[in-house]
């Protein structure tokens, strides 16, 4: 009975008598009837055959998968990559056909677009796109962005690149005027390179060197300003309070006005608007960089471009060079070569490579079968790189050709206007922007630049609406600290306290350290306060020397005034509301000015021992004489990297005073005043005789020796 009731037990015992053997993969198995696929005794074979075969097949599948993974028999990475590539390519095919139905302006057709088309969601309002956003993917990836992991010479928020210009002719130049002449560079003007020959950089705007202007980054964080009583009813408040008040006002306006003014849109109007948006979307297609021939070799170029986008620039360059040799008539291959040279120039910080890419961009644009989109992208990038190397006139020629080819392209005309300004050709720039505003009167970029030109012509009241409306437009290229600076300055000069509203906005946008401190060329983290004591600066020896020898300085200055009054050059930076103000400069940007020290030899000899003053590349040493009835507008210096010392030489008893922020002080003969001129300051001379002082700029005491050595001059 036992044997008949337990046939499987008998079978298992027989199986155990067979010795185990090892398979090829090292697994131990037992040989028996079960291994051969049997299902027990002969009598049970037909009853359990289907279940047995199912179990066997399942086990075979499991062990096959284990073997594939264990022995790495399949390259899963390549399989996944091919699947993704197929998905992307197939998606691109679909996107090409469905692009016309892109309703949200993100460049593709997706679920959100479908919801809009089905009436389940409202379409988004599109913002005006800059010319850079309409460039191709290939053009976008070539832009040289400063990498965060690259070592920086000096931790500065923004550094102007200055050329080693001669010091002759600096006598009449006040550094405060640099800020008056400053306007933004065109896009993509990084500071990763040093021009091959900086002297080729032309002077522009109001005489400031092109290399002195750069984009502005985050500025010094200053402690929260305290509430103070401001003279002349000037409006000043802390940034935090102003932001909160503005947010409250805006929210109340939205609650009170929004619902009442919002019209109800009918179904017909909604359908019409959607159709208009769809039509507008259809017009905004990706640039076509491939001509008919390039499409036949697209696979080869895609492979080279893939290397470039992965950051394998050297391999990509070799691949594109091979394509250029193989297909010399291909504009796209040559354009890709130029992009690789551009990227490699950034990586290696090589001006030679940058010049090569400039030449290759021209070669790509000059090929007869180049598409219009490729021609535009290549020439525009060429102009940008020429500007970066200081080849301003060459860049102007390139942009002029572009405008001739694309006369209706407003963005190119705006770039052409900037090129004129970089060459100091304000008249040429003014003409360009007048043409733009005649065609597109609401163009914000043209407005802020046109407003700047009017202000440089001292047409203060006329410049204000252009600067204000341009900033309010929020268009690309308008949110720059220099425009907030100039608008506020213009408003101050007509007595409009709303200037501080715009300074506050500039601060909120990260362009100014505070409403008071509005310098644009700064080093992060430096102590910021308007007035300093000699002990706080650490330059007590210099202060003692100045005060001990003040009569020597006075006598030499008076001798120059009596014998060579022409050496006191009038201030020509448009900082005066009225009166006369002359200056005689001994040092400028850390260098002696010509033979100026021959007129004041003792003064120069005494100062030679103090490199914090004579070596201050962002300051000056000069005599300053101001006649009665003079008023200097509120203004700020260009940088927080210096402090300014004023030594009184000839000071009338009453009527001469200087305000820095909300504190007003008076000079004394033989005494030194020290202030940070990156804060707003203003001067009045209401005495009956002239005022004579000695101005000595020194490095900010917290700058390291390395920073003092490497910071570029201003």
């Amino acid at each position: 009975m036992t044997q008949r009731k337990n046939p499987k037990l008998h079978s298992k015992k027989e199986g155990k008598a067979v010795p185990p053997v090892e398979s090829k993969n090292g697994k131990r198995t037992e040989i028996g009837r079960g291994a051969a696929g049997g299902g027990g005794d002969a009598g049970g074979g037909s009853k359990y055959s289907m279940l047995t075969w199912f179990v066997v097949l399942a086990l075979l599948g499991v062990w096959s998968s284990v073997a594939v993974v264990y022995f790495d028999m399949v390259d899963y990475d390549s399989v996944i990559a091919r699947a993704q590539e197929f998905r992307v390519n197939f998606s691109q095919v679909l996107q090409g056909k469905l692009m016309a139905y892109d309703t949200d302006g993100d460049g593709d057709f997706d679920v959100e677009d479908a919801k809009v088309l089905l009436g389940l969601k409202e379409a988004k309002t599109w913002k005006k796109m800059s010319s850079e956003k309409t460039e191709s993917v290939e053009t976008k990836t070539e832009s040289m962005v400063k990498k965060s992991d690259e070592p920086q010479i000096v931790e500065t928020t923004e550094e102007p690149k200055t050329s080693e210009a001669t010091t002759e002719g600096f006598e009449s130049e006040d550094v405060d005027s640099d800020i008056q002449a400053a306007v933004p560079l065109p896009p993509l003007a990084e500071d990763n390179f040093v021009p091959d020959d900086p002297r080729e950089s032309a002077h522009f705007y109001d005489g400031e060197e092109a290399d002195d202007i750069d984009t502005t980054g985050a500025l010094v964080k200053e402690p929260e300003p305290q509430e103070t009583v401001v003279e002349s009813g000037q409006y000043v408040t802390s940034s935090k309070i102003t932001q909160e008040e503005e947010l409250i006002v805006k929210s109340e306006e939205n609650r009170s006005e929004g619902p009442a003014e919002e019209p109800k849109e009918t179904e017909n109007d909604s359908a019409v608007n959607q159709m208009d948006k769809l039509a507008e979307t259809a017009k905004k297609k990706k640039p076509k960089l491939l001509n008919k021939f390039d499409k036949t070799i697209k696979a080869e170029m895609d492979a080279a471009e893939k290397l470039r986008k992965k950051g394998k620039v050297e391999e990509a360059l070799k691949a594109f060079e091979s394509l250029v040799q193989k297909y010399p008539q291909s504009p796209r291959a040559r354009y890709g070569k130029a992009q690789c040279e551009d990227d490699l120039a950034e990586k290696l910080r090589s001006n030679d490579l940058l010049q090569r890419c400039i030449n290759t961009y021209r070669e790509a644009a000059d090929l007869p079968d180049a598409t219009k989109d490729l021609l535009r992208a290549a020439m525009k990038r060429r102009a940008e790189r020429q500007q970066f190397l200081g080849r301003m006139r060459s860049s102007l020629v390139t942009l002029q050709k572009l405008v001739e080819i694309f006369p209706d392209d407003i963005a190119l005309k705006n770039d052409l206007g900037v090129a004129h300004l970089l060459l100091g050709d304000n008249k040429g720039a003014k003409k360009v922007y007048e043409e733009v505003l005649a065609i597109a009167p609401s163009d914000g970029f043209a407005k802020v630049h046109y407003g700047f030109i009017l202000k440089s012509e001292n047409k203060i009241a006329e410049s204000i609406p252009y600067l204000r409306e341009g900033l309010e437009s929020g268009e690309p290229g308008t949110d720059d600290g220099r425009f907030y600076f100039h608008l506020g300055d213009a408003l101050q000069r007509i007595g409009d306290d709303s200037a501080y509203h715009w300074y506050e906005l500039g601060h909120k946008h990260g362009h100014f350290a505070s409403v008071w401190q509005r310098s644009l060329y700064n080093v992060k983290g430096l102590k910021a306060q308007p007035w300093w004591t000699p002990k706080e600066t650490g330059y007590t020896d210099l202060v003692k020397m100045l005060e001990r020898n003040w009569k020597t300085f006075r006598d030499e200055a008076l001798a120059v005034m009596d014998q060579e009054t022409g050496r006191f050059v009038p201030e020509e930076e448009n900082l005066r509301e009225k009166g006369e103000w002359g200056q005689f400069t001994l040092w400028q940007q850390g260098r002696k000015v010509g033979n100026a020290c021959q007129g004041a030899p003792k003064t120069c000899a005494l100062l030679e021992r103090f490199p914090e003053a004579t070596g201050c590349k962002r300051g000056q040493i000069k005599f300053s004489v101001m006649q009665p009835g003079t008023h200097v507008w509120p203004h700020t210096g260009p940088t927080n990297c210096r402090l300014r010392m004023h030594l009184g030489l000839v000071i009338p008893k009453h009527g001469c005073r200087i305000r820095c922020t909300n504190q007003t002080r008076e000079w004394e003969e033989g005494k030194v005043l020290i202030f940070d001129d990156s804060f707003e300051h203003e001067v009045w001379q209401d005495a009956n005789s002239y005022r004579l002082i000695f101005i000595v700029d020194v490095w900010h005491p917290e700058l390291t020796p390395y920073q003092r050595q490497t910071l570029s001059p201003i």
Side-chain angles (χ1 to χ4, degrees):
M1 294 294 292
T2 305
Q3 294 295 330
R4 294 181 62 185
K5 288 182 180 180
N6 299 282
K8 294 183 180 180
L9 179 62
H10 179 71
S11 176
K12 289 181 180 179
K13 291 180 179 179
E14 290 181 356
K16 289 182 180 179
V18 181
V21 297
E22 290 190 0
S23 63
K24 292 182 180 180
N25 61 358
K27 305 293 182 181
R28 299 178 66 85
T29 60
E30 296 179 351
I31 301 177
R33 285 181 296 177
D41 56 16
S46 60
K47 182 177 180 180
Y48 301 104
S49 60
M50 292 298 294
L51 176 62
T52 301
W53 278 108
F54 177 78
V55 173
V56 169
L57 290 175
L59 290 173
L60 285 174
V62 171
W63 283 105
S64 298
S65 301
V66 172
V68 167
V69 175
Y70 184 81
F71 293 105
D72 197 16
M73 299 171 65
V74 177
D75 185 0
Y76 286 98
D77 292 337
S78 63
V79 173
I80 294 172
R82 290 182 180 179
Q84 290 178 340
E85 184 178 358
F86 172 78
R87 178 176 60 82
V88 172
N89 292 338
F90 186 67
S91 175
Q92 290 176 350
V93 172
L94 291 176
Q95 297 297 345
K97 294 181 179 180
L98 300 176
M99 182 64 71
Y101 302 101
D102 174 24
T103 61
D104 54 8
D106 60 358
D108 60 6
F109 178 81
D110 50 23
V111 175
E112 299 301 322
D113 301 318
K115 290 180 180 179
V116 174
L117 293 175
L118 294 174
L120 301 177
K121 181 180 178 181
E122 293 185 0
K124 296 181 179 179
T125 303
W126 291 10
K127 295 182 178 180
K128 183 176 179 180
M129 299 175 65
S130 66
S131 60
E132 294 170 79
K133 290 184 180 179
T134 59
E135 291 182 6
S136 66
V137 174
E138 291 86 348
T139 307
K140 287 182 181 178
T141 56
E142 71 185 0
S143 62
M144 301 177 59
V145 181
K146 193 170 185 180
K147 299 180 180 178
S148 60
D149 58 348
E150 292 181 354
Q152 303 299 315
I153 294 177
V154 181
E155 186 185 5
T156 61
T157 64
E158 170 287 320
E159 277 309 309
K161 300 188 288 287
T162 55
S163 59
E164 295 296 326
T166 58
T167 55
E168 297 292 336
F170 276 129
E171 297 169 345
S172 63
E173 185 175 348
D174 192 323
V175 177
D176 290 344
S177 66
D178 292 352
I179 220 64
Q180 303 296 327
V183 296
L185 274 178
L188 299 169
E190 308 86 357
D191 55 1
N192 289 342
F193 298 92
V194 178
D196 290 328
D197 185 4
R199 288 171 293 182
E200 292 189 14
S201 301
H203 298 283
F204 69 111
Y205 290 87
D206 292 338
E208 178 170 336
E209 293 182 350
D211 288 283
D212 285 346
I213 305 302
D214 203 342
T215 54
T216 308
L219 304 183
V220 179
K221 292 184 179 179
E222 188 187 27
E224 284 288 325
Q226 299 178 352
E227 293 185 358
T228 55
V229 179
V230 184
E231 296 183 356
S232 304
Q234 291 176 340
Y235 165 77
V236 180
T237 182
S238 68
S239 174
K240 184 176 180 180
I241 294 175
T242 303
Q243 291 180 27
E244 292 175 350
E245 289 177 349
E246 289 178 358
L247 289 174
I248 293 172
V249 172
K250 289 181 180 179
S251 62
E252 290 176 352
E253 289 177 354
N254 292 336
R255 285 196 297 267
S256 61
E257 299 178 4
E261 295 179 358
E262 184 177 357
K264 293 184 178 180
E265 188 177 43
T266 63
E267 293 183 1
N268 291 336
D269 292 338
S270 177
V272 171
N273 291 337
Q274 289 186 13
M275 292 299 294
D276 291 340
K277 291 177 181 178
L278 289 174
E280 185 178 356
T281 304
K283 294 179 181 179
K284 296 183 178 180
K285 297 180 180 179
K286 291 183 178 180
K288 296 181 180 179
L289 303 181
L290 301 177
N291 61 17
K292 291 183 179 180
F293 173 77
D294 285 336
K295 290 179 181 179
T296 64
I297 58 172
K298 184 177 183 297
E300 297 178 70
M301 286 191 293
D302 286 347
E305 182 65 15
K306 189 175 182 180
L307 291 172
R308 190 180 75 85
K309 291 182 178 180
K310 286 184 175 181
K312 300 178 180 179
V313 185
E314 292 87 349
E315 297 179 36
L317 180 57
K318 291 180 180 178
F320 275 113
E321 285 176 341
S322 176
L323 288 173
V324 169
Q325 292 178 356
K326 189 176 180 181
Y327 310 110
Q329 74 276 29
S330 168
R332 180 62 183 88
R334 207 170 292 268
Y335 179 68
K337 177 175 177 283
Q339 288 181 302
C340 291
E341 291 169 342
D342 204 339
D343 294 343
L344 194 58
E346 176 193 9
K347 182 178 180 180
L348 302 179
R349 297 174 178 248
S350 169
N351 284 344
D352 293 336
L353 276 172
L354 198 58
Q355 186 59 53
R356 278 175 54 188
C357 86
I358 289 173
N359 295 335
T360 308
Y361 281 128
R362 181 195 61 202
E363 294 171 2
D366 288 345
L367 288 174
D369 294 330
T371 64
K372 286 188 175 181
D373 290 341
L374 187 142
L375 173 65
R376 185 187 186 280
M379 293 185 69
K380 187 175 186 297
R381 185 60 176 172
R382 182 170 188 260
E384 292 168 354
R385 309 322 286 148
Q386 287 171 326
Q387 286 179 353
F388 181 77
L389 279 182
R391 316 290 195 258
M392 303 302 172
R393 195 165 299 280
S394 298
S395 175
L396 178 66
V397 172
T398 302
L399 287 169
Q400 285 174 335
K401 291 180 180 178
L402 261 176
V403 171
E404 291 176 2
I405 299 172
F406 303 97
D408 299 327
D409 195 318
I410 293 177
L412 291 178
K413 287 187 176 182
N414 282 333
D415 291 341
L416 178 62
V418 172
H420 279 287
L421 290 173
L422 291 173
L423 278 171
D425 182 13
N426 283 21
K427 291 183 179 179
K430 186 177 183 181
K431 181 180 179 181
V432 170
Y433 289 125
E434 286 175 343
E435 293 176 358
V436 171
L437 292 173
I439 302 171
S442 62
D443 188 275
F445 187 91
K447 281 187 174 182
V448 289
H449 285 82
Y450 188 68
F452 164 79
I453 295 170
L454 292 176
K455 185 171 180 291
S456 69
E457 296 174 348
N458 209 30
K459 298 177 180 178
I460 304 300
E462 294 180 44
S463 70
I464 291 174
Y466 289 99
L467 288 167
R468 180 168 49 216
E469 292 170 12
L471 284 171
E472 289 174 345
S473 73
E475 294 182 14
T478 62
D479 185 21
D480 189 283
R482 294 161 185 84
F483 296 129
Y484 288 98
F485 184 98
H486 287 295
L487 175 57
D489 183 66
L491 290 168
Q492 280 184 307
R493 297 191 182 197
I494 65 170
D496 189 338
D497 287 343
S498 68
Y500 289 93
H501 164 73
W502 290 99
Y503 291 148
E504 182 70 26
L505 287 179
H507 167 57
K508 288 166 60 178
H509 287 220
H511 302 306
F512 306 140
S514 70
V515 175
W516 288 122
Q517 191 179 24
R518 303 190 296 271
S519 54
L520 297 175
Y521 305 119
N522 302 286
V523 170
K524 292 181 181 178
L526 298 181
K527 183 178 181 179
Q529 63 185 43
W531 294 98
W532 291 65
T533 65
K535 185 177 180 180
E536 288 175 326
T537 67
Y539 299 135
T540 54
D541 290 342
L542 173 60
V543 173
K544 289 178 181 178
M545 185 277 293
L546 291 173
E547 292 183 344
R548 188 165 50 243
N549 296 278
W550 74 274
K551 291 183 179 179
T552 300
F553 304 139
R554 180 197 62 187
D555 294 343
E556 289 196 333
L558 291 174
V560 173
M561 287 178 61
D562 292 340
Q563 299 175 8
E564 303 178 54
T565 54
R567 302 192 75 167
F568 273 80
V569 180
E571 181 274 328
E572 298 176 350
E573 292 80 26
N574 196 26
L575 295 177
R576 289 170 293 158
E577 177 189 10
K578 58 182 179 178
E580 298 180 19
W581 178 17
Q583 303 174 35
F584 175 42
T585 305
L586 303 176
W587 269 270
Q588 173 86 18
Q589 295 184 343
R591 295 182 177 185
K592 287 183 179 179
V593 176
N595 60 354
C597 281
Q598 294 179 6
K602 294 179 182 180
T603 299
C604 291
L606 288 168
L607 286 168
E608 291 282 7
R609 298 186 293 109
F610 298 94
E612 62 267 28
T614 58
C616 182
K617 294 184 292 183
R618 296 195 163 190
Q620 301 167 302
I621 300 175
K622 59 188 177 183
F623 294 107
S624 173
V625 61
M626 188 173 290
Q627 300 298 331
T630 301
H631 173 232
V632 178
W633 294 110
H635 63 286
T636 60
T639 178
N640 72 338
C641 295
R642 75 186 186 200
L643 301 179
R644 176 156 284 189
M645 297 184 178
H646 280 191
L647 174 64
L649 300 180
V650 178
I651 308 298
K653 290 184 179 181
H654 303 287
C656 296
R657 63 191 188 277
I658 178 173
R659 175 185 66 83
C660 187
T661 64
N662 61 320
Q663 302 177 42
T664 301
R665 300 187 181 183
E666 297 182 354
W667 296 273
E668 296 181 37
E669 292 183 355
K671 298 297 181 180
V672 170
L673 289 177
I674 307 173
F675 66 101
D676 184 341
D677 75 327
S678 64
F679 288 84
E680 179 183 295
H681 54 286
E682 184 178 10
V683 176
W684 296 266
Q685 215 288 44
D686 298 325
N688 296 322
S689 59
Y690 67 85
R691 181 227 64 181
L692 177 64
I693 63 173
F694 189 35
I695 298 176
V696 179
D697 290 335
V698 294
W699 284 117
H700 192 290
E702 293 183 356
L703 287 174
T704 66
Y706 183 71
Q707 288 174 317
R708 299 182 188 194
Q709 180 183 359
T710 55
L711 282 171
S712 50
I714 293 180

